[in-house]
Amino acid sequence: MYKRPKGTMDILPETVTKWQTLEQLLRTICSAYDVKEMRTPIFEHTELFTRGVGNTTDIVGKEMYTFNDKKGRSITLRPEGTVGFARSLVENKLYTNPDGINKFYYMGPMFRYERPQSGRFRQFHQFGVEMLGFASPYIDVECMVMAVTVVEALGIKDVTLHINSLGDFDSRIAYREALKNHFSSSLEELCSDCKARFESNPLRILDCKVDCDHPAMESAPKTVDYLTPEAKEYFESVCALLDMLEIAYVVDQNLVRGLDYYNHTVFEVISDDPSFGAQATLGGGGHYNGLVEEVGGPCSPGVGFAFGLERLLMAMDESQVEEDHLDIYVMPMGEEAKQLGLQIVTMLRANGYRVDMDYQNRSLKSQFKTVERKQAHFAMIIGEQEIEDEVVNIKCTHSKTQDRVPLESILDYIEKHEKGVHHE
Ligand code: HAM
């Protein structure tokens, strides 16, 4: 007996309706923001992620699914979508867009070798949005508003938008120095990864899952205190625009995000529902100035976010999910009836109805059980008498009426009857 690999899941038919409802809602929101879909490969050259995400991050250092292909090239299953998107933007020269801005979304599986638990998987799915072209607090805010719209549209309550600024390049240098000064006295007490991060990228110490409760974390310097005047002004504009739109947020000075490409605005949408435990972040993102250059393109600042679809599904209001019912179930009695039934189901399906039929000659009783299980609106019985009279027997499970309907009037009958029921 084979089992699925740890940290993966089978999405079975009974939950797929919920996934499809979620995906459809997300696509509708994207359309309102004129954000177009883009699909990039699920695997990329490893170096793209080491450069783009940053090789001192946990994602690159510990969590990537990396292997050599048959020609010995190092390949990695994408742990996130932004870097592959930036590569594609450069490779396809999308940055030459005369409208100045590119807005894209993606939906699909991502892979991280993490310790699986509720809300955390090794294969998970992200819905991500990226807006590229120029740096502006307006675009950052548009992105955040879109992220908030997503949770609102899904009826998710008790969430908070956390925002922070990591500042520009000069702010980062000043902050890096402040962090080094701060952690130098407690360095011996920190884990071996943090010791290495101290030299390579001290900001990543704040992101450590091992040392997160060490007292030096709480008292660490805050990014906002090291912003250059320009970066401060940028962040103030972001906050002012959010205020203008009356979008609720908290400035969270501990928010640094787990990927290296960010500067200026970073944000996360966090659930306040205690059942989410440590996996309360539904989505996160931020502004990135240098990523497109890092992967070989021109200066093209961007901002984006991604939500974990599994986490959105856990939080989503179930009442939005439409019941998955059948329109018509065809119940033929005998071989000749089956042939007529097959012609009828083909005709009904071609007309957009959701139809199924019995091919196993089961008893009427068990076929009616199927009608019940599949919540079919109509049961269509075809027996010997019906064939002789060139009619079918249609029973409406809503109004409980039953009619003998001539073959040529089936479609007409179903259409009229459906409308009638909807108007009740
Ligand atoms: P991230 O914060 O690494 O950002 O991931 C975004 C979301 O993906 C998380 O908030 C979470 O909901 C979900 N997620 C991450 N890891 C897992 C996991 N192991 N299992 C289940 N869900 C998970 C990014 O990936 C950035 N690329 C977002 C971004 C887009 N920034 C700018 N543009």
Side-chain angles (χ1 to χ4, degrees), residues 59 63 79-83 106 110-115 117 119-131 257-259 261-262 267-269 279-288 303-312:
I59 294 180
E63 296 169 2
E80 60 98 56
T82 312
V83 172
Y106 46 87
M110 308 287 161
F111 306 86
R112 294 185 194 175
Y113 192 83
E114 291 197 83
R115 201 161 52 78
Q117 50 190 277
R120 196 200 280 167
F121 308 92
R122 290 184 173 166
Q123 174 175 329
F124 60 99
H125 298 77
Q126 275 188 353
F127 160 67
V129 170
E130 313 291 346
M131 301 187 181
R257 307 275 299 131
L259 308 97
Y261 44 67
Y262 296 113
F267 61 95
E268 284 186 351
V269 178
Q279 267 52 252
T281 306
L282 303 180
H287 183 101
Y288 45 89
V303 55
F305 64 84
F307 279 100
L309 291 189
E310 288 80 1
R311 292 190 194 174
L312 286 182

Side-chain angles (χ1 to χ4, degrees), residues 17 21 30 36 57 95 98 114 117 120 124 128 134-135 157 176 197 221 224 257 268 276 330 336-337 357:
T17 318
T21 307
C30 286
K36 307 272 188 263
T57 59
Y95 51 77
E114 291 197 83
Q117 50 190 277
R120 196 200 280 167
F124 60 99
F134 51 91
K157 305 253 168 1
R176 184 191 156 98
R197 290 170 183 139
V224 281
R257 307 275 299 131
E268 284 186 351
F276 274 90
V330 177
E336 217 180 318
M357 86 177 241

Side-chain angles (χ1 to χ4, degrees), residues 3-18:
K3 293 215 154 142
R4 59 179 191 269
K6 205 173 159 190
T8 67
M9 64 168 149
D10 300 314
I11 303 169
L12 300 175
E14 58 261 32
T15 39
V16 108
T17 318
K18 203 171 165 189

Side-chain angles (χ1 to χ4, degrees), residues 341-353:
L342 185 56
Q343 292 174 55
I344 295 173
V345 293
T346 309
M347 179 277 289
L348 287 170
R349 285 169 179 160
N351 281 281
Y353 288 102

